[in-house]
């Protein structure tokens, strides 16, 4: 029971330090979300790089590590081109920008449209309903002999 308490104390100290630096920092168990807000892309890039440097320093001081391959970077904006934005580095590895990121089971895309998240949930529901009802190439045997079941395509209502 002591280990989760120590982890919470360590992460709480890091999140407090990052929040003081102008970055919104949230944590849930071992997942952390950092949000840097600004008008100019180069300013936001610099703030992100400072934040990642603080994370590196904290990790090195505590003997911890962060996997850069599991770190996502998304710019939430309607702009198509971000002139002046540079990809920050974490432990010597350049973090590439992506169009979406999954955080705590929610897929957030760069324009915050929720389309990718809703589509993923629809696919998962279609698959689950298909398994539940036995949709497939036909069910052989059983009390009714040979039968097959087909469901129409499920799609959410979009405004």
């Amino acid at each position: 029971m002591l280990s989760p308490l120590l982890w919470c104390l360590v992460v709480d100290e890091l999140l407090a330090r990052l929040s003081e630096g102008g970055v919104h920092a949230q944590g849930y168990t071992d997942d952390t979300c950092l949000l840097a807000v600004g008008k100019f892309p180069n300013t936001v890039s610099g703030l992100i790089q400072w934040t990642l440097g603080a994370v590196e320093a904290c990790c090195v001081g505590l003997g911890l590590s962060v996997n850069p391959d599991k770190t996502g970077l998304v710019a939430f904006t309607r702009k198509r081109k971000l002139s002046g934005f540079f990809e920050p580095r974490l432990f010597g590895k350049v973090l590439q920008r992506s169009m979406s990121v999954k955080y705590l089971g929610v897929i957030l895309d760069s324009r915050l449209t929720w389309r990718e998240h809703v589509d993923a949930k629809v696919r998962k529901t279609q698959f689950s309903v298909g398994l539940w009802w036995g949709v497939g190439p036909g069910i052989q045997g059983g009390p009714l002999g040979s039968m097959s079941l087909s469901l129409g395509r499920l799609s959410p209502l979009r405004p």
Side-chain angles (χ1 to χ4, degrees):
M1 209 52 184
L2 187 60
S3 181
L5 177 62
L6 290 175
W7 176 252
C8 287
L9 291 173
V10 168
V11 172
D12 187 53
E13 179 184 336
L14 175 62
L15 295 177
R17 185 181 311 162
L18 296 176
S19 293
E20 290 172 359
V23 174
H24 303 286
Q26 295 289 319
Y28 184 79
T29 62
D30 63 345
D31 289 334
T32 305
C33 177
L34 305 172
L35 178 66
V37 180
K39 186 172 182 175
F40 302 107
N42 59 347
T43 305
V44 174
S45 296
L47 187 56
I48 293 170
Q49 186 60 61
W50 173 85
T51 303
L52 294 176
V55 169
E56 283 184 34
C58 183
C59 288
V60 168
L62 296 171
L64 300 173
S65 64
V66 175
N67 187 353
D69 295 328
K70 292 186 176 183
T71 303
L73 176 67
V74 176
F76 298 108
T77 181
R78 291 197 170 121
K79 295 181 181 178
R80 294 195 182 270
K81 191 172 183 180
L82 293 175
S83 58
F85 185 86
F86 61 90
E87 277 79 14
R89 294 180 171 270
L90 179 62
F91 288 104
K93 185 169 182 177
V94 175
L95 299 179
Q96 298 295 326
R97 246 182 346 131
S98 62
M99 295 305 292
S100 64
V101 67
K102 188 173 185 178
Y103 181 66
L104 299 178
V106 178
I107 300 173
L108 302 168
D109 63 278
S110 62
R111 294 182 180 246
L112 295 175
T113 63
W114 300 100
R115 182 177 307 261
E116 191 173 340
H117 178 74
V118 169
D119 288 345
K121 293 301 177 188
V122 167
R123 281 192 305 274
K124 186 175 180 179
T125 302
Q126 287 174 330
F127 180 76
S128 297
V129 168
L131 288 179
W132 188 61
W133 282 98
V135 173
I139 301 170
Q140 300 297 323
L144 300 177
S146 177
M147 67 178 199
S148 65
L149 178 63
S150 176
L151 295 176
R153 182 170 193 263
L154 299 176
S155 61
L157 296 175
R158 292 192 179 131

